Amino acid sequence: MAAALLCATTIQAQTMYDAVKFTDKDLNGTARFVGMGGAMGALGGDISTIGTNPAGIGIYRSNDIMVSFGLSAYGTESNYQGAKFNNDKVQGSFDNIGAVFSTKIGNYSSLRYVNFGFNYKRSKSFYGNMSMEGLLNLAPNGGVLSQGVQMANQANRMGVDIASLDDQEVNLFNNPDVGWLGAMGYKGSVIEKDGNKYYPAEIRPTSKFYSEERGGIDQFDFNVAFNFNDRFYLGFTIGAYDVNYSKFSSYDEDYGDSQYYFLNSDNRIEGSGFDFKLGGILRPFESSPLRIGFAVHTPTFYNLTLTTNAYLESQFWYNNNDGTESLMTKEVDTYWELYDSNMAKDFKIQTPWKYNASLGYTIGKNLALGAEYEFQDYSTMKFKYSDGYDMDFENQTAKAYLKGVHTLRVGGEYKVVPEFALRAGYNFTSAAYGENAYKDLPSNSINTDTDFANAKSKSDYTLGIGYRGDMFYADLAYKFSTYKSDFYAFDTVGLNKTDVTNTRSQVLLTLGMRF
C-alpha cells in the first residue's frame, strides 16, 4: 500500500513526445548503406546492417575497417496564418566507425564462416530550431485563447489548492501534488483565483515562440554472425545506446499596453539503453541469387534522467488602494525556488518491438537490388517509474494517441565498371501520431514546455557513388529528408495549428579497407 501511494504521488516528468523522439531513428551509417536507402537487410555485406538485420555481417568473407563523416544542412520553415519564419543551420558530424573480423571455418563443413563485428553510429540527431509568431485566433465560442487557459486547467485539476499552499508558504515546486505550469501561472499572476476556480486573463494576446533542440543518440552494436553452406546466414547483435538531449524553449504572450509575460523552459534528458537483435538471411534456391531476410528487435530499455528548470517574468497593471494603477513586474524562477538547484527525476522508457522483412537480388556482378519493410507499434511503448512501477497515465496516453509505424526502403547499386558504382534509394516512414494527438500534461507534471508537433509521414531520397580498389575503398552519399508537422505552442481547444516543413540535406563520406 505504501508503494502504491508513493507511485500515485510521484511527480510526472515525461510525455509520449519524448518517447517518440527516442524510438525514431535516422537513416544513417556508411555512405554505401545510406546511398542505397538502407535497403540492405537481405543483401548484407555492409557494417550498417548490424543494426537492421544482424545476419548481414555473415555475408563477409574478409576483414573490414571503415570510418564515416558527414555534413548536414537543417531547415525548418513555419507558417502561422501567413507569418513565416525560417531557421537554417549547417553542422558537421562524426557518423560511423566500425570493424568486421571474418574467420573462415572451412569449405566442406556446414559452418563456413564465423564473423564478429562492432559498429558505432549516430543513430539520431535532435538538432533543430523552431520559431513562430502571430496574433492568436479566437476560440470557436468567441473566447480568448492563451497558454493561460492550459495553466488554469492544470490548476483546476490538481488535488490541492495552490493559492492556499502559497499562502501557507509551502514550496509549490517540490510538492508532488502540484503541477509547475499552474503554479508558475498563479505566482506570476497570469492566472487568478475567483471563487473555487482559476481563470486566465481575458485579453487576446500576440504569441511568440522559439526553441532550440540539441544532442543525439549514439548507438554501439556488437555482433556475431554465421554462414552455413553459403545459403543460410544467422546473426545476433547486442545494442547499447547513449542518450543526450537538450531543449530550450521560450514562449511569450504580449497583451499590449506594456502588459506581457514570457516563460522559459530548459530541459535535459540523459541516460542509456540496450536491446537485442536477431536476424537471418536465406538463399532458398541454389541456382538463384534471390535472398530473403528477416529480423526482430527487442524493445530498447532506456534508463533516463530529466533535469529541468523554468523561469517566468510577467508585467501587468494593478489597481492601487487610492484608485490609481501601477505597472508591476513579477518573476518566478524554479532554480531559486528549489534553493539554487534544478529538478532531476529518473524514469524508464521501453520502446516497441520491431519487425523487419527484406528481399535482395543480384543480376550478374553489376546490379544489386534491395527492398525492406519494417513495423513498430508505437502505441505499445511503456513508461515506468525508476522503481519499475508502470506510469498508467502516460501508458494510456500513448495507447490512445500513437499508432503503428510502417517503414519501406528500396535501393539499388549498379557497377559501371568493377571499380566504380552508382547508387540510389528511397525511404518512406508513416506517421506515429493519431489525428487528435496532443501533449496532455498530468495535473502534477513538472513540464512547463507546452509546445508539441505532430509529425506526418517522412521521406528520404538518397544518391551515392563508390570506388573499390584492391584494399582501399571510398563511398560518397547524399540524403535529402523531408516531413511536415502540425505545431502547437500549447494545448487548448480551438487553437489554429502552425504549418511546419522540416528538411535535412546530408552528405556522407566513408573511407575503409578490406583485407
Side-chain angles (χ1 to χ4, degrees):
M1 289 177 61
L5 181 61
L6 177 63
C7 288
T9 58
T10 299
I11 293 174
Q12 304 295 303
Q14 56 291 306
T15 71
M16 68 179 183
Y17 288 88
D18 299 321
V20 170
K21 286 180 183 294
F22 303 142
T23 301
D24 181 40
K25 299 294 190 296
D26 297 333
L27 172 61
N28 203 19
T30 68
R32 182 181 181 225
F33 180 81
V34 173
M36 293 183 66
M40 299 187 68
L43 292 171
D46 188 279
I47 188 69
S48 294
T49 61
I50 199 172
T52 55
N53 186 350
I57 304 303
I59 302 293
Y60 275 90
R61 297 188 178 187
S62 61
N63 302 319
D64 190 9
I65 298 175
M66 82 296 299
V67 62
S68 303
F69 306 91
L71 186 68
S72 296
Y74 298 86
T76 302
E77 180 185 88
S78 66
N79 184 346
Y80 179 73
Q81 298 183 327
K84 295 183 178 181
F85 291 87
N86 287 280
N87 287 280
D88 302 313
K89 184 70 175 180
V90 177
Q91 185 182 46
S93 58
F94 177 69
D95 292 278
N96 155 256
I97 185 170
V100 174
F101 301 98
S102 181
T103 303
K104 186 174 183 178
I105 303 301
N107 292 325
Y108 302 104
S109 61
S110 296
L111 181 60
R112 301 292 173 83
Y113 285 85
V114 177
N115 299 335
F116 300 91
F118 164 77
N119 190 54
Y120 157 81
K121 75 171 182 178
R122 187 74 157 178
S123 64
K124 180 69 175 181
S125 171
F126 296 125
Y127 194 94
N129 296 344
M130 168 67 192
S131 301
M132 64 80 60
E133 181 178 347
L135 180 66
L136 292 180
N137 61 292
L138 295 174
N141 61 4
V144 172
L145 296 180
S146 162
Q147 189 188 52
V149 174
Q150 190 172 356
M151 292 177 176
N153 288 340
Q154 186 184 65
N156 290 325
R157 295 201 320 265
M158 291 181 198
V160 296
D161 183 9
I162 53 177
S164 176
L165 292 176
D166 195 48
D167 289 342
Q168 300 173 45
E169 297 185 353
V170 174
N171 190 312
L172 298 177
F173 297 96
N174 59 14
N175 188 316
D177 294 318
V178 173
W180 279 17
L181 187 66
M184 297 197 79
Y186 174 75
K187 290 183 74 70
S189 297
V190 180
I191 61 174
E192 295 182 350
K193 188 178 181 182
D194 185 0
N196 294 322
K197 295 193 70 175
Y198 293 87
Y199 297 91
E202 287 293 318
I203 310 174
R204 188 181 181 188
T206 295
S207 171
K208 186 183 297 183
F209 174 84
Y210 176 74
S211 71
E212 294 180 352
E213 294 179 279
R214 299 292 185 268
I217 298 178
D218 294 324
Q219 179 175 337
F220 304 85
D221 285 323
F222 304 85
N223 171 276
V224 59
F226 307 92
N227 173 345
F228 297 95
N229 294 318
D230 295 325
R231 295 279 302 279
F232 178 65
Y233 308 86
L234 182 67
F236 178 74
T237 295
I238 299 175
Y241 301 84
D242 180 67
V243 177
N244 179 11
Y245 170 70
S246 65
K247 175 187 176 184
F248 169 80
S249 64
S250 180
Y251 179 76
D252 181 301
E253 288 192 355
D254 189 335
Y255 302 96
D257 195 24
S258 301
Q259 300 187 97
Y260 69 89
Y261 84 89
F262 67 83
L263 173 59
N264 293 345
S265 302
D266 203 346
N267 297 327
R268 178 176 291 276
I269 298 178
E270 297 177 304
S272 60
F274 67 92
D275 68 6
F276 303 97
K277 310 174 186 73
L278 177 67
I281 298 174
L282 175 66
R283 189 162 60 86
F285 310 109
E286 187 173 2
S287 60
S288 172
L290 175 68
R291 295 174 185 170
I292 301 172
F294 56 90
V296 59
H297 302 187
T298 70
T300 303
F301 301 91
Y302 283 116
N303 290 288
L304 303 169
T305 299
L306 168 68
T307 305
T308 185
N309 64 74
Y311 173 83
L312 183 145
E313 179 183 303
S314 65
Q315 184 170 279
F316 294 101
W317 288 101
Y318 293 89
N319 295 323
N320 300 318
N321 293 331
D322 60 2
T324 62
E325 289 186 327
S326 297
L327 197 61
M328 183 181 297
T329 301
K330 291 187 177 182
E331 295 179 277
V332 186
D333 189 343
T334 64
Y335 185 82
W336 181 83
E337 296 278 353
L338 295 174
Y339 310 106
D340 297 337
S341 66
N342 296 323
M343 176 66 79
K345 287 296 173 181
D346 298 330
F347 64 100
K348 301 175 184 286
I349 291 177
Q350 180 179 315
T351 69
W353 286 79
K354 183 185 293 185
Y355 305 96
N356 180 291
S358 55
L359 294 173
Y361 194 82
T362 57
I363 300 175
K365 295 183 178 181
N366 295 332
L367 183 62
L369 301 173
E372 196 163 311
Y373 169 76
E374 206 164 70
F375 176 76
Q376 279 187 288
D377 186 356
Y378 278 46
S379 69
T380 63
M381 64 175 56
K382 302 296 183 183
F383 296 82
K384 296 177 182 292
Y385 296 104
S386 58
D387 57 9
Y389 283 91
D390 287 341
M391 297 181 181
D392 292 333
F393 180 90
E394 286 77 5
N395 291 335
Q396 292 169 6
T397 301
K399 186 175 181 179
Y401 297 113
L402 298 178
K403 57 185 181 180
V405 173
H406 308 268
T407 299
L408 176 66
R409 306 182 184 106
V410 293
E413 176 184 70
Y414 177 71
K415 292 185 178 180
V416 182
V417 294
E419 292 82 10
F420 289 94
L422 301 177
R423 306 177 183 113
Y426 172 73
N427 282 195
F428 172 83
T429 303
S430 65
Y433 299 102
E435 291 184 4
N436 300 317
Y438 68 102
K439 193 173 186 177
D440 191 4
L441 297 180
S443 61
N444 64 337
S445 174
I446 63 175
N447 292 95
T448 57
D449 56 328
T450 58
D451 61 287
F452 62 97
N454 292 334
K456 301 180 181 180
S457 61
K458 178 182 178 182
S459 290
D460 296 311
Y461 305 88
T462 67
L463 295 172
I465 186 171
Y467 165 79
R468 287 289 186 276
D470 292 335
M471 291 182 61
F472 171 79
Y473 64 89
D475 296 305
L476 189 67
Y478 170 76
K479 179 186 72 175
F480 177 75
S481 304
T482 181
Y483 68 95
K484 296 181 182 295
S485 58
D486 296 337
F487 173 85
Y488 300 87
F490 55 89
D491 166 50
T492 189
V493 177
L495 179 65
N496 286 341
K497 67 180 180 179
T498 300
D499 296 313
V500 180
T501 300
N502 303 276
T503 60
R504 179 185 180 186
S505 294
Q506 183 181 19
V507 177
L508 271 171
L509 173 66
T510 298
L511 304 175
M513 291 182 63
R514 290 200 177 193
F515 53 95

